[in-house]
């Protein structure tokens, strides 16, 4: 039964997360609350690992959730569930798009999907900031405004921003350097 549920949950995620891998994050956040397969802290870890490994973030996260929930078969089923809607839609579009290539309605529908994609990506960005730079749960417990901020993570983000945007010698370094550096700092500072 877990395999069927994994497939269904990730099929729905793949079907409605228009805009790429980051658009899957709001769905994964909701899935965490509904299924209990992973916590929000684990979601933050999945984001970090998925961003630093090759491949699309949504597929990496589906594979990870499937593996932690039901082993290797679960990883395969969750990944298939996520990519099946895209494959089905692409095959349908390829079949009929040639006939409707100049149709203004079809063009308008695709144009109308753009704000949806932007909204999903913005929601994903908000969730990443909330999970990585803020301590919402600690703030809710203590009520102290200073407990809301994860100062170590904010400092690391500020340093990375400066190194990648304004410091000339490091500005053109490959992103993998900064990913590795961030991982090392996270291990050393234990966050």
């Amino acid at each position: 039964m877990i395999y069927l549920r994994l497939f269904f949950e990730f099929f729905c995620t793949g079907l409605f997360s228009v805009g790429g891998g980051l658009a899957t994050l709001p769905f994964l956040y909701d899935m965490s609350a509904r299924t209990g397969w992973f916590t929000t802290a684990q979601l933050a870890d999945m984001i970090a690992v998925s961003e630093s490994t090759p491949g699309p973030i949504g597929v990496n996260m589906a594979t990870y959730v499937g593996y932690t929930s039901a082993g290797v078969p679960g990883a395969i089923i969750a990944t298939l569930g996520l990519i099946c809607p895209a494959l089905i839609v692409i095959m349908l579009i390829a079949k009929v798009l040639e006939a409707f290539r100049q149709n203004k309605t079809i063009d308008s529908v695709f144009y109308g999907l753009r704000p949806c994609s932007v909204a999903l990506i913005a929601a994903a960005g908000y969730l990443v900031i909330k999970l990585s730079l803020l301590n919402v749960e600690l703030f809710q417990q203590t009520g102290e405004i200073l407990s809301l901020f994860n100062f170590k993570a904010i400092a690391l983000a500020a340093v990375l921003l400066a190194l990648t945007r304004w410091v000339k010698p490091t500005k053109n370094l490959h992103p993998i350097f900064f990913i590795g550096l961030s991982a090392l700092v996270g291990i050393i500072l234990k966050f």
Side-chain angles (χ1 to χ4, degrees):
M1 193 63 175
I2 184 84
Y3 299 125
L4 186 59
R5 182 139 188 232
L6 275 169
F7 185 85
F8 176 75
E9 291 288 342
F10 281 101
F11 186 88
C12 291
T13 300
L15 186 61
F16 296 111
S17 59
V18 178
L22 290 177
T24 63
L25 294 181
F27 295 98
L28 291 170
Y29 190 75
D30 178 61
M31 189 186 303
S32 166
R34 284 186 298 101
T35 64
W37 288 335
F38 52 93
T39 64
T40 54
Q42 288 172 315
L43 180 60
D45 292 340
M46 285 191 292
I47 293 167
V49 171
S50 293
E51 283 288 344
S52 62
T53 55
I57 185 173
V59 172
N60 290 347
M61 293 178 80
T63 304
Y64 179 80
V65 171
Y67 181 76
T68 58
S69 301
V72 173
I76 293 168
I77 289 169
T79 304
L80 287 174
L82 185 75
I83 63 172
C84 273
L87 291 174
I88 292 167
V89 168
I90 292 298
M91 289 188 314
L92 290 173
I93 288 174
K95 189 140 184 104
V96 298
L97 189 60
E98 199 59 42
F100 296 105
R101 193 167 189 103
Q102 302 302 323
N103 188 320
K104 289 188 183 262
T105 305
I106 300 295
D107 190 44
S108 297
V109 167
F110 281 119
Y111 187 76
L113 284 175
R114 290 179 185 168
C116 296
S117 297
V118 170
L120 287 171
I121 292 170
Y126 168 74
L127 286 175
V128 169
I129 289 170
K130 182 179 170 186
L131 290 171
S132 61
L133 301 180
L134 302 176
N135 293 321
V136 175
E137 292 174 5
L138 182 61
F139 173 69
Q140 289 173 342
Q141 292 171 357
T142 64
E144 297 176 16
I145 192 70
L146 290 178
S147 66
L148 177 62
F149 303 101
N150 183 346
F151 289 106
K152 288 194 275 186
I154 292 171
L156 178 60
V159 168
L160 286 172
L161 179 66
L163 289 175
T164 58
R165 297 287 178 209
W166 302 302
V167 178
K168 249 186 179 179
T170 59
K171 188 175 177 180
N172 295 322
L173 290 175
H174 197 278
I176 196 72
F177 171 78
F178 296 106
I179 292 170
L181 180 65
S182 299
L184 182 64
V185 169
I187 291 169
I188 291 170
L189 297 180
K190 296 180 177 148
F191 72 98

